[in-house]
Amino acid sequence: MDRDLWSGLAIFGEIVEAGSFAKAATRLGLSASALSHAMRVLERKLDLRLLDRTTRSLAPTSAGEALLLRLRPAMASVEEVLGLLDGAREHPAGRVRVNAHRPAAVHLIMPRLPALARDCPDVLVELVVNDGFVDIVAERFDCGVRHAQGLQGDMISVRISNPVPLIFVASPHYLADHGRPEHPDDLAQHRCVSYRHASSGALHRWEFEQNGITSERAMPHNFVTNDVDVMRDAALAGLGVACLIKAQASHHLMAGDLIEVLSGWAPTLPPNHLYYPNRRQPTAAFRAFLAAMRL
């Protein structure tokens, strides 16, 4: 729509409601001469006289009255929408779309959602689990969660976890059949459960860390998956040695279903960060979600 036309219509409605140019000018913070000019432009564009004016009074013409009958509901709808936007800035309500890798979704986000649901019941969280990298802007997510080394440089990031320890594990019956590896070199004689990166399609190279020295190598494997929970299940099933996030394996370690191997060789991943596009006016719902996720 013509910007001058839309502005003129809003000014016309304000003048009629105020009953004078002077009062309308005070409401709008403009001069009476500016309003008079806007009305002349509007009437010229529409080729209609909308106001009958004298030195003491003004009233809409019949054409002006007909226009107002349609204009007032439209302006009320606009004001209602603007009011909803104001509410979105103040009251936490509405949807927050989040993209996170599975361990973060399970061990970081989900445990913090009950408090958010209690304190902000009108916030709807849509959590999409994806272990690959996603363009959160193109896919219309409000934020994502990844380890620090995977963040895009033009994003705002907030740390939501401590560094994430990994652990090498195998099932008791696998170790009974194949022996226990004591050194990374021993894995050449073992079966390994490997991970294929969802985004690049590359097989993950295992990392080893001891005394501040880090190395990585490709592992012999007899089972490959792109899902970290399936990796855990494969280790539980005795398919081989797996490298898991420690939190993912802790319950099974306590139950004796998995046993740690290569103790002291497992590396630690960087902390998880919640990241989102630089935005000047985030909604109250997003601010509430962000506050709930902080350490």
Side-chain angles (χ1 to χ4, degrees):
M1 176 180 284
D2 186 312
R3 185 169 56 185
D4 290 337
L5 183 59
W6 177 251
S7 176
L9 289 171
I11 287 172
F12 168 58
E14 191 69 34
I15 291 170
V16 173
E17 182 178 337
S20 74
F21 277 80
K23 290 180 181 178
T26 300
R27 288 185 181 185
L28 296 173
L30 299 171
S31 67
S33 60
L35 268 58
S36 181
H37 173 74
M39 281 304 306
R40 287 196 299 272
V41 170
L42 177 63
E43 290 176 327
R44 186 166 59 248
K45 284 181 175 290
L46 298 178
D47 196 24
L48 289 169
R49 193 175 80 258
L50 301 175
L51 288 173
D52 283 328
R53 287 163 276 184
T54 69
T55 56
R56 294 188 177 184
S57 65
L58 63 81
T61 64
S62 58
E65 285 282 10
L67 178 60
L68 283 171
L69 285 175
R70 298 294 184 90
L71 182 60
R72 281 172 174 148
M75 295 299 293
S77 296
V78 171
E79 289 177 358
E80 181 181 0
V81 170
L82 292 176
L84 291 174
L85 292 177
D86 287 338
R89 283 190 289 271
E90 301 301 328
H91 174 67
R95 185 178 67 166
V96 178
R97 294 193 75 223
V98 186
N99 187 287
H101 61 91
R102 188 176 300 279
V106 173
H107 300 292
L108 293 177
I109 297 175
M110 290 301 298
R112 300 173 189 180
L113 287 183
L116 176 65
R118 181 191 65 237
D119 297 338
C120 304
D122 295 326
V123 173
L124 183 158
V125 176
E126 180 179 341
L127 177 58
V128 176
V129 178
N130 188 323
D131 289 335
F133 287 107
V134 174
D135 185 336
I136 62 171
V137 175
E139 298 295 329
R140 302 182 68 83
F141 287 100
D142 293 291
C143 62
V145 176
R146 294 294 185 274
H147 292 290
Q149 80 273 27
L151 301 182
Q152 296 169 284
D154 58 348
M155 294 285 169
I156 296 173
S157 66
V158 176
R159 188 165 69 92
I160 63 170
S161 83
N162 294 314
V164 180
L166 300 179
I167 189 171
F168 297 108
V169 297
S171 71
H173 55 277
Y174 172 84
L175 295 177
D177 291 342
H178 297 86
R180 187 186 188 109
E182 302 292 343
H183 188 278
D185 291 343
D186 298 341
L187 291 174
Q189 308 305 318
H190 279 265
R191 298 169 176 265
C192 294
V193 175
S194 292
Y195 177 81
R196 188 178 297 280
H197 291 279
S199 298
S200 66
L203 281 173
H204 179 71
R205 292 174 62 87
W206 286 22
E207 292 186 359
F208 303 92
E209 184 178 296
Q210 193 174 65
N211 299 323
I213 300 174
T214 301
S215 62
E216 66 174 46
R217 63 183 75 184
M219 288 292 108
H221 52 268
N222 70 306
F223 182 81
V224 178
T225 180
N226 67 343
D227 187 289
V228 293
D229 282 351
V230 175
M231 287 177 60
R232 176 204 58 208
D233 293 343
L236 287 167
L239 295 185
V241 179
C243 181
L244 304 177
I245 289 172
K246 193 169 185 177
Q248 186 187 16
S250 59
H251 170 75
H252 301 286
L253 290 168
M254 289 188 292
D257 301 324
L258 292 175
I259 295 174
E260 181 180 7
V261 299
L262 300 172
S263 178
W265 284 97
T268 298
L269 295 175
N272 283 282
H273 281 68
L274 185 150
Y275 65 99
Y276 56 98
N278 188 356
R279 60 180 77 193
R280 294 182 179 178
Q281 292 182 319
T283 65
F286 181 77
R287 292 199 305 269
F289 176 80
L290 181 59
M293 294 300 115
R294 289 182 184 272
L295 279 176

